[in-house]
């Protein structure tokens, strides 16, 4: 195959649609500069200001801030995954908290095994198993002392669940609000399952009191900063991956499914497999976000699977601006910064504020925060 | 030549033109060795006891421009649903060429085999530009992975430019399809069908909502397409039908009432009764 002959379009009328040239550019020059700046801040400035700048300096970034930003970046990755399935493909999932939690639990299993005999009961088993009077690990805890095996689970468990669930749902042509409701039911069912002590994942306490990760003490500033940097790199990486997908022909098929699914079918595409692809990918991204989240916040329990959590993910995405990728990242950050301020200042009013925000955004900012910027530019 | 179990593209009849080297696409030519391209045999469909189609028999020859007329509820749209796999018949068989059993294929598979369908209400991808609409419809390997890695080559670009010219939307190529006028959307949808390189085009009220000028240009377009493609047009506009049709089929209460030239059909007693005696 020969390389594309020429990059100049033979075709002038109107602006040539992006992505119709030889290789579409991933981002504009400005966007690359922005991403570069973000990478510099996340991978160099924050780590240096936290570890090397003395605590009394104005340039010092506190441990609290590092953890907070790290946590928010995990949420941002989830919102990004949500945007792929909801913003671009028009499928509203109200169960994305489940995939996030499953990724978190998979990482949590490794972290529990790494505690070793440093638990309260000085046993080989995690404290909650000792408490239940279990003598050995259940079979599904096999090999979880291996980090890479657990890393594989982080991807496989949400991925396989989403694939199987999605296959039957999409093949049965379950759409719109019905799909949203069954995803909500799915996460609720898993929450009830994980609340049970017999399930073997610590019941309502979940996993906590982690001691180390890959041999490093988990609470040490250097370990925290390293996890922060990995999360930052993952966020930027997923942003580029998402962009590459929505700019491809497949991305245009996804948006076409959102806007006119029957036309897509009668054009010869089988929407089932396209939905399944993006749905599974979205679930896997959520799983990775959950795995990055758990070692940073130090706990995972079934409340992460509560229906309200999944609804909140949809709110971040809507507030930031659906179908823009960067919007949901901003939305997740804005809502969660608001949340951490509110829950300290006016804890009882947070849910009211969140509800009000959602109503206001729906009424006055249908394209979210990112929509403001797009409007200004055009 | 007898009908083969596996269709082998015979030169000329196959829609796969030279530049598509993908075997999957090229192997799908429809076998029209017996002149007919569409065979509907004793098809019946009922919804909750209502017989939408009642023992419908229809044969369309390759290259023909067939018009289907009939009062509301005669089963015209249901017939298209059966042909395109949207509705499964209760009884009867539907064949595309000699060997492709339409009742066993899904909508995308049927589209991929070479049947394009235009809906009554124009459906285009509103957020995509006119150019992108045509690009998505273009005949290609439409599975997930090839779509993810697809790049637009110059042959495909030329093809899109040709179709843009045919449907007179060259000046609108970069505009989102949602901003087009009603008539332009109808044309874009027809353009998308042509991009699929189908053998058979099913057009449900293609000139509804068009101005007289647009209707005339559509008639010219369809006349130029007949021969190269087979067209089945459902239309209420009788002047339009009289102008373009080779043969007219009249549907009434789910079965064929009459078939022949426009003049023959207009002189048919039963047809007059059904259309005027309401």
């Amino acid at each position: 195959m020969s390389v594309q002959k020429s990059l100049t379009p033979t075709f002038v009328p109107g602006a040539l649609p992006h992505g119709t040239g030889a290789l579409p550019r991933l981002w504009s020059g400005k966007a690359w500069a922005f991403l570069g700046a973000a990478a510099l801040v996340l991978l160099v400035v924050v780590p240096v200001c936290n570890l090397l700048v003395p605590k009394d300096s104005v340039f010092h970034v506190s441990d609290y801030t590092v953890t907070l930003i790290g946590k928010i970046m995990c949420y941002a990755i989830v919102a990004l995954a949500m945007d792929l399935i909801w913003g671009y493909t028009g499928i509203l999932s109200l169960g994305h908290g489940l995939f996030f939690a499953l990724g978190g639990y998979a990482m949590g299993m490794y972290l529990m095994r790494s505690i070793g005999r440093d638990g309260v009961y000085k046993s080989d088993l995690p404290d909650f198993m000792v408490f239940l009077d279990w003598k050995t690990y259940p079979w599904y805890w096999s090999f979880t002392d291996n980090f890479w095996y657990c890393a594989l689970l982080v991807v496989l468990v949400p991925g396989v669940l989403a694939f199987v669930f999605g296959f039957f749902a999409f093949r049965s042509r379950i759409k719109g609000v019905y799909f949203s409701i069954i995803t909500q039911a799915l996460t609720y069912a898993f929450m009830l399952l994980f609340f049970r002590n017999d399930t073997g994942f610590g019941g309502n306490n979940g996993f906590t009191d982690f001691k180390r990760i890959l041999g490093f003490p988990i609470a040490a500033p250097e370990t925290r900063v390293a996890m922060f940097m990995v999360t930052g790199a993952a966020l930027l990486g997923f942003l580029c991956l998402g962009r590459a997908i929505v700019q491809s022909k497949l991305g245009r098929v996804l948006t076409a499914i959102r806007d006119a699914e029957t036309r897509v079918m009668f054009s010869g595409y089988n929407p089932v497999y396209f939905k399944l692809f993006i749905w599974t990918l979205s679930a896997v991204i959520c799983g990775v976000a959950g795995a990055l989240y758990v070692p940073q916040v130090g706990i995972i329990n079934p409340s992460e699977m509560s229906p309200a959590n999944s609804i909140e993910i949809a709110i971040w995405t809507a507030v930031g601006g659906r179908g823009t990728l960067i919007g949901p990242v901003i939305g997740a950050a804005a809502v969660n910064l608001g949340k951490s301020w509110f829950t300290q200042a006016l804890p009882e009013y947070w849910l009211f504020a969140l509800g009000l925000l959602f109503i206001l955004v729906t009424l006055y900012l249908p394209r979210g925060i990112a929509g403001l910027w797009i409007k200004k530019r055009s | 030549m007898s009908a083969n179990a596996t269709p082998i593209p015979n030169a000329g009849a196959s829609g796969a033109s030279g530049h598509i080297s993908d075997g999957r696409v090229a192997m799908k030519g429809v076998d029209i060795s017996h002149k007919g391209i569409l065979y509907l045999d004793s098809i019946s469909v009922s919804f909750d006891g209502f017989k939408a189609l009642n023992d419908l028999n229809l044969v369309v020859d390759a290259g023909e421009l067939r018009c289907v007329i009939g009062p509301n509820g005669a089963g015209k749209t249901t017939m298209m649903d059966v042909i395109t796999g949207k509705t499964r018949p209760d009884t009867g068989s539907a064949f595309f060429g000699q060997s492709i059993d339409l009742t066993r294929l899904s909508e995308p598979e049927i589209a991929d085999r070479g049947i394009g369908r235009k809906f009554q209400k124009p459906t285009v991808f509103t957020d995509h530009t006119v150019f992108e609409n045509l690009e998505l419809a273009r005949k290609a390997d439409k599975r997930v992975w090839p779509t993810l890695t697809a790049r637009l080559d110059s042959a495909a670009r030329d093809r899109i430019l040709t179709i843009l010219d045919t449907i007179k939307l060259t000046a609108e190529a970069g505009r989102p399809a949602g901003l087009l006028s009603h008539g332009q959307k109808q044309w874009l949808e027809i353009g998308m069908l042509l991009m699929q390189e189908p053998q058979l085009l099913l057009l449900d009220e293609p000139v509804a909502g068009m101005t007289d000028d647009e209707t005339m240009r559509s008639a010219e377009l369809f006349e130029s397409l007949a021969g190269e493609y087979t067209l089945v047009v459902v239309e209420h506009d009788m002047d339009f039908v009289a102008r373009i049709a080779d043969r007219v089929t009249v549907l009434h209460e789910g079965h064929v009432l009459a078939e022949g030239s426009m003049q023959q059909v207009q002189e048919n007693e039963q047809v007059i009764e059904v259309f005027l005696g309401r």
Side-chain angles (χ1 to χ4, degrees):
Chain A
M1 281 246 293
S2 68
V3 186
Q4 188 69 35
K5 274 178 216 142
S6 150
L7 283 172
T8 29
T10 50
F11 166 80
V12 206
L16 201 95
H18 62 99
T20 51
L23 277 169
R25 289 181 64 194
L26 197 55
W27 303 96
S28 68
K30 251 187 188 169
W32 272 122
F34 172 80
L35 281 180
L40 191 71
V41 169
L42 295 176
L43 302 179
V44 179
V45 176
V46 172
V48 166
C49 290
N50 175 251
L51 293 177
L52 301 180
V53 174
K55 280 205 167 51
D56 46 5
S57 161
V58 282
F59 294 107
H60 178 74
V61 173
S62 68
D63 291 350
Y64 170 79
T65 311
V66 169
T67 310
L68 181 67
I69 300 177
K71 204 169 96 174
I72 286 175
M73 287 194 297
C74 294
Y75 293 146
I77 295 173
V78 174
L80 189 71
M82 184 70 162
D83 198 29
L84 288 175
I85 189 74
W86 186 29
Y88 284 94
T89 321
I91 298 169
L92 172 58
S93 163
L94 292 179
H96 259 43
L98 172 62
F99 304 125
F100 179 78
L102 288 175
Y105 267 101
M107 178 55 75
M109 288 164 94
Y110 164 75
L111 295 172
M112 290 306 274
R113 295 292 289 259
S114 310
I115 295 172
R117 293 191 167 199
D118 294 342
V120 176
Y121 297 110
K122 311 290 173 213
S123 160
D124 281 332
L125 294 179
D127 287 347
F128 74 88
M129 289 190 191
V130 178
F131 195 72
L132 290 172
D133 207 22
W134 290 6
K135 300 297 176 217
T136 51
Y137 280 102
W139 63 268
Y140 46 83
W141 278 76
S142 316
F143 314 115
T144 48
D145 52 342
N146 182 306
F147 176 83
W148 298 109
Y149 174 75
C150 284
L152 192 68
L153 286 185
V154 164
V155 172
L156 279 185
V157 173
V160 169
L161 176 69
F163 186 86
V164 172
F165 175 85
F167 179 76
F168 288 108
F170 297 139
R171 200 188 56 163
S172 313
R173 300 195 179 173
I174 294 170
K175 284 176 199 165
V177 66
Y178 303 100
F179 186 84
S180 306
I181 290 169
I182 58 169
T183 51
Q184 181 99 100
L186 182 75
T187 191
Y188 188 68
F190 268 86
M191 182 180 75
L192 296 181
L193 178 71
F194 275 65
F195 263 132
R196 288 161 41 99
N197 283 330
D198 294 347
T199 310
F201 293 106
N204 60 349
N205 294 318
F207 301 154
T208 189
D209 287 334
F210 309 130
K211 305 286 187 224
R212 56 189 76 84
I213 180 167
L214 290 168
F216 299 100
I218 204 158
E222 291 80 6
T223 318
R224 288 189 166 279
V225 165
M227 292 188 297
F228 174 91
M229 290 165 71
V230 171
T231 310
L235 173 61
L236 296 175
F238 284 132
L239 202 55
C240 291
L241 176 71
R243 176 80 174 174
I245 287 172
V246 302
Q247 277 205 324
S248 71
K249 188 178 172 193
L250 180 133
R252 291 192 283 282
V253 172
L254 296 178
T255 312
I257 289 173
R258 182 190 71 190
D259 294 339
E261 186 171 344
T262 25
R263 182 79 268 159
V264 174
M265 267 198 292
F266 288 110
S267 299
Y269 299 93
N270 192 340
V272 172
Y273 300 114
F274 286 85
K275 289 178 185 176
L276 203 51
F277 170 80
I278 200 70
W279 166 251
T280 307
L281 180 71
S282 178
V284 166
I285 293 175
C286 278
V288 172
L292 293 167
Y293 175 84
V294 169
Q296 294 189 77
V297 300
I299 183 165
I300 174 78
N301 63 40
S303 68
E304 293 293 345
M305 298 176 184
S306 77
N309 269 32
S310 292
I311 293 172
E312 226 178 283
I313 295 169
I315 295 179
W316 305 336
T317 310
V319 168
R322 275 171 286 163
T324 57
L325 289 182
I326 191 74
V329 170
I330 295 168
V335 175
N336 282 293
L337 283 173
K339 185 180 185 174
S340 58
W341 180 81
F342 245 98
T343 43
Q344 281 168 14
L346 299 160
E348 31 321 9
Y349 296 109
W350 164 241
L351 281 179
F352 292 101
L354 185 67
L356 185 69
L357 178 72
F358 189 55
I359 292 169
L360 290 178
V361 164
T362 312
L363 284 179
Y364 299 109
L365 282 179
R367 302 211 55 190
I369 298 169
L372 282 176
W373 185 72
I374 292 168
K375 210 193 255 170
K376 209 177 108 194
R377 200 178 45 166
S378 59
Chain B
M1 241 175 49
S2 66
N4 290 314
T6 44
I8 292 163
N10 37 358
S14 163
S17 37
H19 65 269
I20 296 173
S21 55
D22 182 348
R24 185 174 171 273
V25 174
M27 281 305 285
K28 287 216 180 104
V30 52
D31 177 3
I32 50 168
S33 55
H34 288 183
K35 206 172 160 207
I37 193 165
L38 180 69
Y39 298 88
L40 301 182
D41 189 27
S42 344
I43 294 216
S44 291
V45 174
S46 53
F47 302 112
D48 299 325
F50 171 70
K51 283 226 161 193
L53 292 180
N54 188 7
D55 194 29
L56 177 86
N57 292 288
L58 183 76
V59 176
V60 178
D61 289 342
E64 191 182 351
L65 200 170
R66 174 74 62 96
C67 282
V68 178
I69 58 174
N72 283 332
K76 301 177 302 258
T77 301
T78 310
M79 181 188 81
M80 292 209 169
D81 287 347
V82 168
I83 299 169
T84 53
K86 198 175 176 211
T87 301
R88 298 283 180 224
D90 300 333
T91 56
S93 66
F95 272 86
F96 183 42
Q98 296 301 314
S99 51
I100 300 175
D101 183 353
L102 295 172
T103 59
R104 306 173 78 91
L105 298 174
S106 69
E107 294 103 318
E109 284 168 338
I110 290 172
D112 199 43
R113 298 292 197 279
I115 298 183
R117 177 179 185 180
K118 203 202 87 59
F119 295 96
Q120 211 165 331
K121 181 174 169 273
T123 39
V124 294
F125 307 131
T126 47
D127 262 20
H128 291 312
T129 63
V130 169
F131 188 95
E132 287 168 332
N133 268 272
L134 295 175
E135 180 219 0
L136 286 182
R138 191 175 68 90
K139 189 181 180 97
D141 189 339
K142 287 175 174 170
R143 288 171 298 175
V144 172
W145 191 253
T147 307
L148 182 64
T149 55
R151 299 274 170 246
L152 198 68
D153 57 22
S154 54
R157 176 183 293 267
D158 289 347
R159 171 88 183 144
I160 293 172
L161 294 181
T162 310
I163 298 292
L164 274 172
D165 189 50
T166 310
I167 59 173
K168 311 224 175 350
L169 286 176
T170 308
E172 316 289 335
R175 287 181 83 197
L179 300 179
L180 298 179
S181 75
H182 183 83
Q184 286 174 321
K185 280 183 194 160
Q186 298 267 45
W187 279 58
L188 174 57
E189 199 177 359
I190 293 163
M192 289 166 74
L193 296 192
L194 298 179
M195 289 302 301
Q196 287 172 240
E197 299 179 26
Q199 306 285 300
L200 173 63
L201 285 128
L202 305 175
L203 307 171
D204 203 346
E205 301 196 19
V207 296
M210 280 192 181
T211 63
D212 288 349
D213 181 48
E214 285 171 330
T215 306
M216 255 206 6
R217 292 211 318 239
S218 299
E220 281 164 19
L221 173 65
F222 297 158
E223 279 164 338
S224 73
L225 295 177
E228 191 185 347
Y229 303 92
T230 310
L231 287 91
V232 174
V233 180
V234 165
E235 190 48 74
H236 283 301
D237 184 335
M238 285 306 149
D239 295 336
F240 182 74
V241 172
R243 172 163 176 191
I244 64 167
D246 295 336
R247 293 216 297 170
V248 178
T249 298
V250 185
L251 286 193
H252 179 56
E253 290 177 351
H255 66 268
V256 176
L257 192 69
E259 201 169 281
S261 71
M262 189 64 181
Q263 202 190 352
Q264 283 170 330
V265 163
Q266 275 172 325
E267 288 163 359
N268 185 303
E269 298 269 326
Q270 279 180 299
V271 173
I272 294 170
E273 196 179 313
V274 165
F275 272 81
L276 301 176
R278 277 180 294 170

